[in-house]
Amino acid sequence: MLLQRLTLCSRIPLGSSRHVCRFLTRPLTQGKQSCTTTLSYCISPFNISSLHTAPQGRAHGSSFAHRGELRQAKRIVVKLGSAVVTRGDECGLALGRLASIVEQVAMLQNQGREMMIVTSGAVAFGKQRLRHEILLSQSVRQALHSGHNQLKDMSLPVLEARACAAAGQSGLMALYEAMFTQYSTCTAQILVTNLDFHDDQKRQNLNSTLQELLRMNIVPIINTNDAVVPPPEPNSDLQGVNVISIKDNDSLAARLAVEMKADLLIALSDVEGLYNSPPGTDDAKLIDIFYPGDQQSITYGTKSRVGIGGMEAKVKAALWALQGGTSVVIANGTNPKVTGHVITDIVEGKKVGTFFSEIKPAGPTVEQQTEMARNSGRTLASLHPDQRSEIICHLAELLTEKKEEILAANKMDMDLAANAGHLPPAMLKRLSLSPAKLNSLAIGLRQIAVAAQDSVGRVLRRTRVAHNLELEQITVPIGVLLVIFEARPDCLPQVSALSIASGNALLLKGGKEAANTNRVLHQLTQEALSMHGVREAVQLVSTREEVEDLCRLDKMIDLIIPRGSSQLVRDIQRAAKGIPVLGHSEGICHVYVDAEASIDKVIKIVRDSKCDYPAACNAMETLLIHRDILRTPFFDQIIDMLRTERVKIHAGPRFASYLTFSPSEAKSLRTEYGDLECCMEVVDSMHEAVDHIHKYGSSHTDVIITENEDTAEQFLQQLDSACVFWNTSSRFADGYRFGLGAEVGISTARIHARGPVGLEGLLTTKWVLRGDGHTAADFSEHGTMKYLHENLPVVQPLNTN
């Protein structure tokens, strides 16, 4: 319910040619004491000094070139279209949407930004109020006339829009006031008409008023004075980009944003943004970034159910504001899944709606890269296996032939990282390439080339369903892969080779630390792909796209594979909406030392598992010790080795209870240290070790060290991790060491591939049915055919393209 209010109206002369009507409104109910007063101004505002000319450049600079820069926006105009503010029945306001928008605006205001709102909704709110009053009046009259309460059918008259606006504007403003008061934020009302834009004095009045309101941390709420404006003329609100008049709130918002030197204009409507053709039509694509000069590529549809501007008016107003130096984003303010954070997402630079930019990048957008990769990837999948193998072998040769060029680029990255000083030693080690590492890469690629001979198009099973009706299940590529990796350039040729072998298109997003090395390696990859005309199948994303934005391309990307820290994997798993993610959230790997373990093997395996590469996901993080080993020379040797290797030990609660002076107690038994640290805990048996791992592990890689074969076999069978080892280091959980040639990552998922994922993990299957005029009716109750379901020998075709 709207707050009951006591209104005190006083007219204060502010000059010979301007009068401001100032209302002091104070709610009768108790609200937040810091903001119970709202200023409301009815002002005949500014005339645009050059109404029929282009806006002049703003003193504070040009518009932002990239979405990421929107985080710097200080002064922001939010335009709420009629479809956003109005309910679906066009009678009343969408209170839930409005409340979430108010919350976001207030939050940004409280962050120190200067927020302004251009709103619609007075007509809809007034229509609701007038309909209610008319129905109530008619019912009372009929009751008095008839003498009883039986009412006849009542018909509502057509309500005139200006009357609705007059009845609804005060209620609309009261609603905003009540909502903003909950966030200790004050508001002020400003109404304008087109006639107000023909007087320089009024223009200056508005400018100074708005500046003063913003200085006092008040949110101005601006609307056209629909109670007095003439009926809108269709399609006449904007006459070209260089001429703007105020006949709808799109052009009003654009004019206001430029006049007030706003950094950003957010125009919310009932569509996701600007499409290249009317939304809902076949092949309609949302435009991520729109540039001046692209208008000819757009086909506009009809206007919204309640608005008078339409998308064409929004685009013209947006381009006009952009020319005046204000960045613009058009987005959906009605989608319940995003309404609660659409404004804050835009200000944070996320890929929401359509962003208008004056600077067109030299290269393709990430959407265009994905489309090119998909098209070229389909050609790649249709190549003969020998041709895919040739591409991979050629890439292996290029790694050797061009090693000086690769190492020079890598040295640039290493020098930049060293000078920046923000990369830890483990990351620097990953970033570094050497001739030996390039040779190992080339060997691994040649292994993948051999595996590519028997990958795409391989028949897995054949069944004779009925006479002359045969069914095959064959391997096919997944589609478009997005692989995101940190400062690890050797990942690029490995993953590229696996994608080529499996016929998948590939998008690569590497860490900026390896930008120079990645660029050279990608050029060599495309050079190898060119030998069979599929150069665009592997794309390197080098734009400013954030990882979270890439994860939103659910209609274009089929699988995301993160390679890097557990934090990177977790971030991507949270950000991916509708795209499967193949990866491991954590690498909490265990080594269990059984009572019947060999001391020599224990020392070697534990040292390698923890100390060889402590930052790797397959490094040991928890060492489980059988209770019988405690207080023995065997145990002392393990501790001495860890101390020699400078491994910091954290004691599990049970281990700590056995010691008078124990190491620091582990904060959690579910910790991935990623450094020369580990947790040590005591268990009574192999079965207790399995229970501990199931409870605290991450299903990555776990090891048992024992000489008892029965104990080992039980451990291997009972433990449900992606990799389970007996008497060997956890560091063997690696695609290269498994003989896969390389890996795209290690998966702890329960479906599809698990453990190190090589070529087989990048394939899926499809079913092919070959018949001779068969129909399902042939096998019905009255049909003439019977199912056979005979398994046939699997014979691979000579040509699997």
Side-chain angles (χ1 to χ4, degrees):
M1 296 179 60
L2 296 178
L3 297 177
Q4 295 179 336
R5 298 177 302 160
L6 177 65
T7 304
L8 173 66
C9 181
S10 61
R11 184 176 296 274
I12 303 175
L14 297 178
S16 58
S17 61
R18 64 175 181 174
H19 296 281
V20 178
C21 190
R22 180 174 179 268
F23 297 92
L24 178 63
T25 60
R26 191 179 306 275
L28 294 177
T29 56
Q30 292 298 319
K32 295 191 177 182
Q33 297 302 315
S34 61
C35 185
T36 57
T37 301
T38 299
L39 299 177
S40 177
Y41 292 87
C42 292
I43 300 177
S44 295
F46 64 96
N47 180 343
I48 312 164
S49 59
S50 302
L51 184 64
H52 299 290
T53 60
Q56 301 298 315
R58 299 183 304 159
H60 72 287
S62 59
S63 61
F64 297 125
H66 306 284
R67 282 185 184 268
E69 297 172 349
L70 296 181
R71 299 185 185 94
Q72 306 170 22
K74 170 72 173 176
R75 182 170 290 180
I76 302 170
V77 176
V78 178
K79 184 265 176 180
L80 307 179
S82 299
V84 175
V85 179
T86 307
R87 282 184 355 201
D89 59 5
E90 302 178 25
C91 183
L93 303 182
L95 297 180
R97 287 200 296 263
L98 205 57
S100 65
I101 289 170
V102 166
E103 181 179 16
Q104 294 171 80
V105 172
M107 184 179 73
L108 293 172
Q109 180 84 358
N110 292 333
Q111 290 176 358
R113 304 179 196 268
E114 298 174 339
M115 305 298 296
M116 293 178 278
I117 294 178
V118 175
T119 184
S120 303
V123 174
F125 194 74
K127 185 184 292 185
Q128 182 185 36
R129 295 182 64 183
L130 291 180
R131 280 184 176 179
H132 177 76
E133 293 296 329
I134 291 170
L135 285 172
L136 181 61
S137 177
Q138 287 181 347
S139 63
V140 171
R141 286 200 304 270
Q142 287 191 12
L144 293 174
H145 179 72
S146 63
H148 54 79
N149 292 329
Q150 295 180 356
L151 303 181
K152 300 178 182 178
D153 293 337
M154 293 180 292
S155 60
L156 287 172
V158 176
L159 298 176
E160 205 273 333
R162 286 193 291 267
C164 292
Q169 183 62 42
S170 61
L172 176 66
M173 191 60 204
L175 183 63
Y176 275 119
E177 174 192 341
M179 288 182 173
F180 273 105
T181 297
Q182 304 307 310
Y183 302 97
S184 302
T185 302
C186 294
T187 59
Q189 174 182 247
I190 296 176
L191 299 178
V192 299
T193 68
N194 192 40
L195 300 177
D196 294 327
F197 290 79
H198 295 280
D199 188 311
D200 286 339
Q201 185 63 54
K202 292 179 179 179
R203 166 179 171 263
Q204 294 170 11
N205 290 351
L206 176 62
N207 196 307
S208 61
T209 299
L210 288 172
Q211 295 287 0
E212 182 66 11
L213 292 173
L214 295 176
R215 186 189 67 81
M216 293 188 295
N217 200 33
I218 294 173
V219 177
I221 299 177
I222 303 99
N223 195 2
T224 53
N225 194 347
D226 295 321
V228 299
V229 296
E233 300 177 16
N235 300 321
S236 65
D237 41 12
L238 292 171
Q239 303 296 329
V241 173
N242 293 331
V243 181
I244 189 168
S245 64
I246 309 304
K247 291 187 177 179
D248 68 272
N249 279 345
D250 294 312
S251 51
L252 169 60
R255 177 68 266 181
L256 180 74
V258 173
E259 181 68 21
M260 294 301 297
K261 296 182 174 62
D263 302 306
L264 173 62
L265 167 60
I266 300 174
L268 298 182
S269 66
D270 57 352
V271 293
E272 302 301 322
L274 178 60
Y275 287 78
N276 59 352
S277 59
T281 60
D282 292 340
D283 301 326
K285 294 182 180 179
L286 179 65
I287 298 173
D288 173 39
I289 305 178
F290 189 78
Y291 306 96
D294 286 353
Q295 299 96 306
Q296 301 303 320
S297 63
I298 305 299
T299 302
Y300 296 101
T302 58
K303 298 181 181 180
S304 70
R305 56 179 174 82
V306 289
I308 64 172
M311 184 56 71
E312 186 173 8
K314 289 178 176 58
V315 172
K316 289 182 178 180
L319 291 174
W320 195 89
L322 188 68
Q323 189 177 4
T326 296
S327 296
V328 183
V329 175
I330 296 177
N332 191 338
T334 64
N335 187 341
K337 294 182 179 180
V338 299
T339 302
H341 48 82
V342 60
I343 297 174
T344 52
D345 280 354
I346 291 170
V347 176
E348 288 173 6
K350 295 180 180 179
K351 185 172 288 190
V352 178
T354 300
F355 172 63
F356 287 72
S357 175
E358 290 188 301
I359 300 177
K360 197 164 188 174
T365 65
V366 68
E367 289 83 4
Q368 291 170 333
Q369 283 186 284
T370 308
E371 192 67 30
M372 289 189 295
R374 183 181 291 278
N375 293 336
S376 193
R378 286 170 176 156
T379 304
L380 173 67
S382 68
L383 295 177
H384 191 280
D386 288 342
Q387 294 174 307
R388 288 192 292 271
S389 294
E390 287 176 8
I391 294 173
I392 300 169
C393 288
H394 186 37
L395 177 57
E397 293 170 0
L398 289 173
L399 291 180
T400 304
E401 294 174 5
K402 305 286 186 177
K403 66 179 179 181
E404 298 300 330
E405 183 180 349
I406 298 170
L407 294 175
N410 186 246
K411 185 178 185 303
M412 292 175 59
D413 290 327
M414 291 292 292
D415 291 343
L416 289 171
N419 292 333
H422 64 276
L423 280 186
M427 292 287 281
L428 282 172
K429 185 177 179 181
R430 287 185 180 184
L431 178 61
S432 174
L433 291 180
S434 64
K437 188 175 283 190
L438 290 176
N439 289 333
S440 296
L441 279 173
I443 293 171
L445 262 58
R446 292 188 177 94
Q447 291 178 350
I448 297 173
V450 174
Q453 296 286 338
D454 184 26
S455 56
V456 181
R458 180 162 51 92
V459 181
L460 300 181
R461 61 181 295 179
R462 296 178 66 228
T463 303
R464 180 178 289 115
V465 178
H467 182 64
N468 286 338
L469 186 63
E470 291 189 1
L471 178 68
E472 287 183 343
Q473 184 184 20
I474 64 174
T475 57
V476 294
I478 291 174
V480 178
L481 312 178
L482 168 61
V483 177
I484 302 170
F485 55 101
E486 295 177 316
R488 192 169 182 172
D490 57 332
C491 175
L492 194 151
Q494 289 178 337
V495 175
S496 297
L498 288 169
S499 296
I500 294 166
S502 57
N504 285 291
L506 178 62
L507 285 181
L508 291 160
K509 175 67 173 176
K512 61 183 179 181
E513 299 85 0
N516 293 297
T517 315
N518 287 339
R519 185 183 66 255
V520 173
L521 291 173
H522 178 248
Q523 290 171 351
L524 298 180
T525 302
Q526 290 201 315
E527 181 179 338
L529 287 163
S530 298
M531 68 185 299
H532 288 296
V534 287
R535 177 184 178 87
E536 308 299 335
V538 176
Q539 298 283 333
L540 180 64
V541 179
S542 56
T543 63
R544 287 172 172 254
E545 246 70 30
E546 300 289 343
V547 168
E548 187 170 344
D549 293 329
L550 294 172
C551 292
R552 294 174 185 265
L553 301 178
D554 56 298
K555 295 181 180 178
M556 308 178 75
I557 295 172
D558 299 298
L559 179 66
I560 301 176
I561 304 173
R563 290 197 62 174
S565 66
S566 58
Q567 186 61 49
L568 171 70
V569 178
R570 285 194 296 269
D571 289 344
I572 292 171
Q573 288 173 331
R574 281 193 296 264
K577 306 296 183 182
I579 309 177
V581 177
L582 192 152
H584 61 279
S585 57
E586 292 174 304
I588 305 175
C589 303
H590 295 73
V591 173
Y592 166 57
V593 180
D594 187 57
E596 299 180 65
S598 163
I599 181 60
D600 293 335
K601 293 178 183 178
V602 169
I603 297 299
K604 288 178 58 180
I605 292 171
V606 171
R607 178 189 287 118
D608 188 73
S609 296
K610 180 70 262 185
C611 308
D612 174 63
Y613 192 177
C617 64
N618 57 14
M620 182 195 77
E621 304 294 0
T622 298
L623 178 62
L624 299 177
I625 302 290
H626 193 283
R627 183 184 59 183
D628 293 348
I629 298 177
L630 288 179
R631 299 187 179 94
T632 66
F634 187 171
F635 177 76
D636 293 340
Q637 287 182 262
I638 297 173
I639 296 297
D640 290 343
M641 181 274 294
L642 292 174
R643 285 175 177 168
T644 301
E645 297 291 341
R646 300 179 180 274
V647 177
K648 182 178 180 180
I649 299 173
H650 301 274
R654 190 170 179 188
F655 178 44
S657 68
Y658 282 100
L659 304 175
T660 304
F661 301 100
S662 68
S664 61
E665 189 166 344
K667 295 180 180 178
S668 171
L669 296 176
R670 193 180 287 111
T671 301
E672 183 178 14
Y673 296 99
D675 204 345
L676 286 174
E677 298 180 61
C678 73
C679 173
M680 183 177 291
E681 183 59 306
V682 175
V683 293
D684 289 339
S685 65
M686 178 274 297
H687 298 288
E688 191 172 311
V690 169
D691 291 340
H692 179 101
I693 295 170
H694 281 158
K695 184 174 182 179
Y696 298 108
S698 61
S699 300
H700 191 294
T701 302
D702 299 292
V703 177
I704 182 173
I705 308 176
T706 183
E707 296 304 302
N708 188 312
E709 184 175 350
D710 291 337
T711 301
E713 288 300 330
Q714 290 184 57
F715 183 90
L716 299 178
Q717 293 174 16
Q718 294 179 18
L719 192 60
D720 187 21
S721 296
C723 298
V724 188
F725 299 162
W726 172 24
N727 283 352
T728 188
S729 169
S730 62
R731 293 281 290 123
F732 272 98
D734 176 86
Y736 181 78
R737 294 185 174 98
F738 278 12
L740 304 179
E743 66 181 39
V744 294
I746 294 181
S747 172
T748 56
R750 300 289 172 174
I751 57 175
H752 192 48
R754 294 191 76 194
V757 179
L759 177 56
E760 293 293 327
L762 300 182
L763 295 171
T764 184
T765 64
K766 71 178 179 183
W767 295 90
V768 176
L769 185 62
R770 296 180 176 89
D772 188 21
H774 298 81
T775 66
D778 295 336
F779 300 89
S780 65
E781 181 180 355
H782 303 290
T784 59
M785 301 193 69
K786 301 296 181 184
Y787 288 112
L788 299 177
H789 292 146
E790 297 177 358
N791 290 327
L792 301 175
V794 174
V795 179
Q796 300 300 333
L798 294 178
N799 190 330
T800 59
N801 62 343

